[in-house]
Structures are given as structure tokens and as C-alpha cells.
Amino acid sequence: MTAPHDELDEGIGRRRFFGYVLAAPTLVTAAGLVPAGPAASPSAAEPPARLPAQDLTELIDLNDLMTAAALPTSGLISVEVRPDGTVSFALPRAEVGQGITTSTAMLIAEELAVPLDRVRITLADARPELIFNQLTGGSNTTIATYTPIRVAAAIARQRLLETAAAELGSPVAGLTLKDGVISDRSGGSVGIGALADKAAVARTRQVSVELAPRQSFTVIGRPHNRIDALDAVTGRKKFTMDLDVPGAQPTMLCRPPTINGKVGSVANLAEVRAMPGVTDAVVVSTGVAVRAATFGQCIDAVRALRVTWKPGTAAGKSDESVLGELRAAELPLGLRPPTPVVEGAFTFYFRSNSALEPNCAIADVRPDRAEIWSALKSPIVAQQAVAVRLGLPPGKVTVHVTEGGGSFGRKLFFDAALEAAEVSQKIGKPVKLMWHRADDSRQGRTHPMATSRVRAAYLGGTVLSYKQRHTSVATDLGHGLGEIITALAARLPVGDIGFSQTFFHLSQSMPYEFGASSHLLSETDKDFNTGSMRNVYSPDVACARELITDQLAARMGKDPYRFRHDFLRDARSRAALAAVAEAGGWGRSMPAGTAQGIAFHSEYKSVSAALVEIDCRPETVNRPIRDGVAGPRVTKAVFAVDVGLAVNPRGLEAQMMGGIMDGIALALTSSLHLRDGYFLEASWDNYFYTRQWNTPPELRIIVLPSTSDEPGGAGELGVAASMAAVACAYGRATGTMPTSFPINHGTLSFTPKPTVPPVPPSPADGLDHAR
């Protein structure tokens, strides 16, 4: 899509693009994305010569794949200028807290020279014609939409200027557009709202346009608050459960005691149907559904049900048995070289993929059609799956994408939407279905349990080779990303390998000059409900790599920071590492039992580095925490990130802060304990995510300046480097390299909290931790 930088005056900002003014009652424009002029010629687009790539990601990574898949339908998303002077855009992505409605509004405001508060961003319903251009994930939204949205907005600007020229009797060159008002040199002016109808065309026409150069930006690259911040903090923001769909009543499910168990029989269905407020109680594929006047009545009814369950897919399994399966599936590291080596074997336990907002959906299914409301990151696939479940043509299923309260990969799956549709069809009534907190911890999506074995060979001051063999419980990619991989796999230089292996190779890279390096994935055991949790494989893979890097530095007698700095492959990466080392005071004297850790991670055209300080002294580890777990405390975190062009630096800082909290949790406290085929944790009260008592009191985010004209991936970047830095700091503070994560997994004394009467028939029916 872009030509080499040295062949352009000012990079992509000076490129000309084709686009369209669409036939519509008001001004509507869309991107065509075929570069106009000489830049489109094959010779101009030919990349410069370069050294052979060490990693596949240097040629193409997951973000490149997703962007390429979205490109053919980019012309189907459009910007509309309205008579009231506002600009509207239906974003074909899901806003789940990452701030993409704000960054999208910023792109439009920049190109159209309108105030940010006059840009209206909504979320598009499922649009099958977009094919692969309505999948939210992989930190790809800003990358894939950056140019198409700007082109559409720039065409609208150009058309408005042309129309204003006729209106004001002035040449286009003599007009300026600022704050939504077009002015001429003689003092005449007209607002863009007054031109919205006049600028419209009866027949679609193709035009070319030039984007605003980077040096003229007044919105992009400047820190902005979220456009939905006030609504969020005042309770006006609407999530799925806030919607008032006529006739939709609260609905919940009684779920099996083991993962993916099935209903055998229900002894008291009629009795439950007669309970106060209950309108329906029916058996569905995933349990027993109850619809009532309130969610409280749903919970009472669910607890009253007496269900005999059939075993689930993971019946009898435990952490220990799954670990045995993983070790049996590990790929060999090959012959041990004759040179000195550093080796490590690491275990990463199951982790919950629950978001802050419970899994939920509204469904209104009629005999000939269906309507769904839910926060969905893959709405097209959801629409298709719901249609199959209901036996309806896809065109008869309307899927509305609502804003969500968190995701980190969870809302790529549409489990609640499928259930809501099934229940609504079975009872013939609209439902407002919500999972209980415990449902998602025990029956929902998890980050797969995994092991990672690493061997690095060295001699003198040189690392000769690095091999990593990552083995994981199977990752479910059935949410739409697998379809993209299928569609484009024939063009990839990865051979005939599966979805997960392709995903792995497209997202993992070696940032250091470690000689001949290789990383392979093996997956086993499809008995669990897994998901694409934030960063997917990267946190575990990077954590193992950075711990081995610390060991290599120690063996070679080098400082961990200096060792990394010397072996990093490019100046951009070294700059990120140097930034945290300087800002964090690397190497300062610290008390015994405390230490610093430093780590690096690159992904999706972006680089990051983290420095943390940890306190592992007994008085800290054993400090009393009410209803919580103590353990080591991260007291300081400094994080540097270079994502290329940061559209909204303030939003980027917030994402990195969240990533740091995830990294601390994954390293120290957050995991699921598997026993007898079910997970013990049921909610945030005993799934120990980073809380106030282990959040670092000192936290700094450094957004590094970049000369890049395009954004890189950002949303997932903060987790991997932070987790690795915490692990490295713990190893230096205790003198022992950690090999099991989270570090507190094996030491937590898990005692289920008292149940709220009546006591359910099973200790793991999914509601025993309700409050």
C-alpha cells in the first residue's frame, strides 16, 4: 500500500489516493485505496534491497495479514457529513474500552478540520459484505483503518471545498476550512452543515485526494481525553444490559459442575417454573435456562434446580494431569551442542479470560427472523453461527454490536449470543441473558495452560543459538481469525501448517542477535474452552526468553541491561531499553530482598521495554491483606513504548498502564486452579488480579517519539515486557530463577468462601460464590 519512504516527499502523508463520493441525499464519501499517480506503478512500489530476514515477522506479521484481509472492502465503509454540521461514521469494529472510538474520531477531525466533539462514532451492525473487515483483535484496528478513514474524510473535505467555492464565488485555493467552517479571503463563510446536501451527488463518482501531511497535524499525535469518558463516569454510557428491548427479560443458566458437562435430567422443572417471577425454565445445550422478572429471581431459581449432570470434556482432569499431557507433547530441542548452554523449563497455568463486564447478550427470535444485541468483536462470524443454530438464513439474523466493558480477547467469542438466541427460540420470547461471574471463570474462556522449554548455546561473548519449544493446551481460533488465516495461508511462506502454528509464527520474533534461533509450537488437549487472551502466546514466550536472557548475561559476566542493549538488533529497540534504564535508575543500590528487573518485547511493528522494582522481603511477602493474597510487591514500574505514530498518546498511556497490571498479575498472582474437571476460582474475590495492594506506587509511561508516518500495534504490547520484567526482578531478588507462573500459584491456600443459602447441590455449580 505504501512505497519506500525515500521515493516520496513526505511519506504516506503526501500520497494521493483514489476514493469515492457516494450517491446519497447528503455528502457521503469512502476510500478506494488505489494510490493515484506515479506512486502506484510497480517500479515505485518495489521495496528496497535488504538483508535476509531472520524471522517471518520481518516479512509479514499477523497485523499485516489482518490489514491485507481488510483492504479489499475498505471502500465499503464511509464518512457522512450531516446538515447539523456533525460528521458520522459507523466503525466496523468493537469498542470494548480500548479507546478506538476516540482515535477514529481524531482521524476524521484531523482530515475534515472539525472539532472533535462534532464527530459521531457509532458501531456498525454485522455487515457480511465486509468479509474480513469487521474483526477486532490483534491490536489491528488503528493500523487497518488509519488510511481508509483518513482518505474518506479527506474526500469529504475536498468535496465540501469545491461546493463552498461555488457557493462563495471563490476559487478552492482561496478557501480555508477550520472548526467546521469554510471561509474565503474576503470574509465570507459557510458551515459544512449548510453544504451537506449541496455537496451530495446523485451518481457515485471516483476522485483522487491528497492526505494532510504529518507536519500539519493538530489532532493526530496530540493527547486527547476519551470522547465517551463523561458518559462512562456518569452512568450514561449504554452497555448491552442497559438496553431496553421490548419484552426482553432477565435470563440466566444453571451450568454443569464440570467443564462442558451436559444436562442428564432435571427433577423439579415444573416446581421451578412456579417460583416467584419465573416465566420460563427450559433445558438448552449448555445447561438449564431460567427467565424471570429480575436477575435475583433468576439466581434463586437456578439454585433451586435439581439437575443430574453428564460428565464434561475435562472430567477428572487437574493441573497435574494436564501438565503431564503437555510434557508428553513437547517437541524435542535436538542434540545438545558441545558448547556451554543455558536451559530452562517453564510452566504457565490456566488464567481466566473474564472481562469486567459479565458475558451477556439480548436476543429476540421470531419464527422467520432474529435480532441480537451484544458486544461482539467478530459479529459476522457470530451472525453466521447464530443463523446455523436457529436454522435461519444469515440474512434473517440482525446483529447489533454494542459497546463492551472490557474484552482482552474474550469478546472475540460469542457464547452468550448463541445461548441467548437458543433460549429465545425455545421459549418464543425475547431474553436478556447474563452470565454469572462464576460462569465465565468456570465455563468460559481461559488462557491455555502451557510449558516452554528453552536452550541457548554460547561461547565466549557470542550467543550461538537459541531454541524455544512452546507447548500449549489448544487455542481456539474459531472466532474469525482462523478464517483470515485460511483465506491467505496459501500466500504465506510458512508451509502447510495449522491455524495456531501460523498464528504463532506471525506473532513471535527474536529481537536479539542470538545466532541461529527457532521457536516452534505444539498444541494438545482440546477439552477446554480457550481464547485469544491479550497477547495470546507472547507473554509466556517472552517471559521464558527474558529469563533465559538474564541467565545468559550472568554466565557471560555481564549486566542484564548492558547485555540486552548489546544484543538487540536495531537502534529503535535499544532506544526503548535505554529509556527505561535511564528513567528507572537502573543499577542503583537496593536493600537485600529487593531488586530491579528489565525486559524487552517487540510485536506488530512496535517495540517496548519495562523496568520494575520488586520487594520480596518477608515483611512484605507476609503482610496481612484482607480477603486477598499478599506475596511480593512491585513497587516501581517504568515502561517505554514506540508504536510509530501514536494517534492518541493519552490513550496509548492508558493501554500500557493496563498492560502493566496484566503483566504483574500473570507473573505473581492470577491463575485458575483445576481440580476434578472444574476450576476452583469463581470470581474476582478469589481470582487474584492486580489490586490496590500490589499496584506499584511509582508508575511511569514513556511514549517515545517516532518519525514513522504510520501507527503500529499497541493494545496488547504492555503485557509481555511487564510480565517478563517482574519475573526477572523476582529472580534477582530471591536468587532463584522462577519457573512456574504465576509465582504464587503453588503457594496459594485456596479455601472456598461460605456459600449463600440455600447451598447448591454441587460445590461447583457456578453460583456458590454469589454475593
Side-chain angles (χ1 to χ4, degrees), residues 586-672:
W586 174 261
R588 73 183 187 91
S589 177
M590 297 186 66
T594 69
Q596 294 178 316
I598 196 166
F600 175 87
H601 182 64
S602 58
E603 195 165 342
Y604 305 148
K605 310 294 189 295
S606 300
V607 300
S608 65
L611 179 149
V612 305
E613 293 182 357
I614 198 168
D615 187 345
C616 296
R617 292 174 293 188
E619 58 268 29
T620 299
V621 172
N622 300 319
R623 67 195 186 281
I625 298 293
R626 180 172 60 88
D627 292 333
V629 58
R633 172 82 185 270
V634 175
T635 57
K636 178 179 181 178
V638 180
F639 195 93
V641 59
D642 180 350
V643 297
L645 175 61
V647 174
N648 184 8
R650 184 165 296 155
L652 176 60
E653 288 177 0
Q655 288 181 324
M656 296 307 104
M657 289 178 186
I660 291 169
M661 299 309 127
D662 276 358
I664 292 171
L666 295 180
L668 296 179
T669 58
S670 292
S671 63
L672 296 169

Side-chain angles (χ1 to χ4, degrees), residues 494-510:
V494 291
D496 184 18
I497 59 176
F499 291 161
S500 297
Q501 187 73 264
T502 303
F503 189 116
F504 186 76
H505 282 294
L506 289 171
S507 60
Q508 303 308 308
S509 61
M510 169 50 69

Side-chain angles (χ1 to χ4, degrees), residues 196-281:
D197 293 341
K198 297 175 182 179
V201 297
R203 297 180 62 184
T204 296
R205 64 177 67 166
Q206 188 182 57
V207 297
S208 67
V209 70
E210 187 174 281
L211 301 183
R214 178 172 178 172
Q215 61 265 28
S216 72
F217 287 173
T218 61
V219 181
I220 296 175
R222 308 288 179 88
H224 284 79
N225 292 335
R226 291 177 58 114
I227 60 174
D228 57 354
L230 183 60
D231 285 349
V233 300
T234 56
R236 294 198 297 263
K237 187 171 179 177
K238 298 295 184 182
F239 299 93
T240 302
M241 291 291 96
D242 297 319
L243 301 181
D244 186 16
V245 175
Q249 287 193 331
T251 304
M252 297 184 76
L253 263 72
C254 178
R255 301 182 188 277
T258 57
I259 296 168
N260 298 326
K262 299 293 182 181
V263 174
S265 62
V266 184
N268 62 336
L269 208 53
E271 177 185 322
V272 170
R273 286 172 179 154
M275 291 180 66
V278 175
T279 65
D280 301 271

Side-chain angles (χ1 to χ4, degrees), residues 63-116:
N63 245 289
D64 295 325
L65 191 75
M66 296 177 70
T67 302
L71 186 61
T73 60
S74 291
L76 299 179
I77 57 179
S78 57
V79 169
E80 178 182 358
V81 178
R82 293 179 172 176
D84 63 359
T86 62
V87 183
S88 66
F89 179 71
L91 179 63
R93 299 293 189 274
E95 171 63 78
V96 289
Q98 74 275 52
I100 57 174
T101 52
T102 300
S103 59
T104 297
M106 291 173 65
L107 300 180
I108 294 171
E110 184 69 72
E111 290 292 341
L112 260 172
V114 296
L116 193 60

Side-chain angles (χ1 to χ4, degrees), residues 70-354:
L71 186 61
T73 60
S74 291
L76 299 179
I77 57 179
S78 57
V79 169
E80 178 182 358
V81 178
R82 293 179 172 176
D84 63 359
T86 62
V87 183
S88 66
F89 179 71
L91 179 63
R93 299 293 189 274
E95 171 63 78
V96 289
Q98 74 275 52
I100 57 174
T101 52
T102 300
S103 59
T104 297
M106 291 173 65
L107 300 180
I108 294 171
E110 184 69 72
E111 290 292 341
L112 260 172
V114 296
L116 193 60
D117 61 7
R118 287 169 64 180
V119 181
R120 306 285 184 263
I121 305 297
T122 58
L123 303 183
D125 291 348
R127 295 179 57 190
E129 70 274 15
L130 292 179
I131 311 177
F132 300 131
N133 199 6
Q134 202 171 8
L135 179 70
T136 309
S139 299
N140 181 251
T141 294
T142 302
I143 295 175
T145 64
Y146 178 73
T147 299
I149 292 172
R150 289 183 63 203
V151 169
I155 291 173
R157 177 194 70 221
Q158 180 171 285
R159 180 61 184 159
L160 287 166
L161 289 170
E162 292 168 351
T163 306
E167 190 81 5
L168 298 173
S170 175
V172 171
L175 301 177
T176 58
L177 173 54
K178 183 179 180 181
D179 294 332
V181 177
I182 299 175
S183 306
D184 62 18
R185 292 171 180 168
S186 62
S189 64
V190 60
I192 63 172
L195 299 173
D197 293 341
K198 297 175 182 179
V201 297
R203 297 180 62 184
T204 296
R205 64 177 67 166
Q206 188 182 57
V207 297
S208 67
V209 70
E210 187 174 281
L211 301 183
R214 178 172 178 172
Q215 61 265 28
S216 72
F217 287 173
T218 61
V219 181
I220 296 175
R222 308 288 179 88
H224 284 79
N225 292 335
R226 291 177 58 114
I227 60 174
D228 57 354
L230 183 60
D231 285 349
V233 300
T234 56
R236 294 198 297 263
K237 187 171 179 177
K238 298 295 184 182
F239 299 93
T240 302
M241 291 291 96
D242 297 319
L243 301 181
D244 186 16
V245 175
Q249 287 193 331
T251 304
M252 297 184 76
L253 263 72
C254 178
R255 301 182 188 277
T258 57
I259 296 168
N260 298 326
K262 299 293 182 181
V263 174
S265 62
V266 184
N268 62 336
L269 208 53
E271 177 185 322
V272 170
R273 286 172 179 154
M275 291 180 66
V278 175
T279 65
D280 301 271
V282 294
V283 176
V284 292
S285 60
T286 51
V288 184
V290 175
R291 181 178 182 268
T294 69
F295 281 109
Q297 291 170 331
C298 287
I299 290 176
D300 290 341
V302 166
R303 285 179 165 159
L305 284 163
R306 296 197 298 273
V307 185
T308 301
W309 299 97
K310 297 178 182 177
T313 55
K317 292 192 176 184
S318 64
D319 285 341
E320 293 75 19
S321 67
V322 174
L323 182 57
E325 292 180 51
L326 291 171
R327 286 174 175 163
E330 290 175 345
L331 298 174
L333 285 168
L335 295 176
R336 186 184 179 94
T339 61
V341 298
V342 171
E343 293 183 302
F346 305 92
T347 301
F348 304 91
Y349 288 96
F350 286 105
R351 288 139 288 181
S352 175
N353 199 179
S354 297

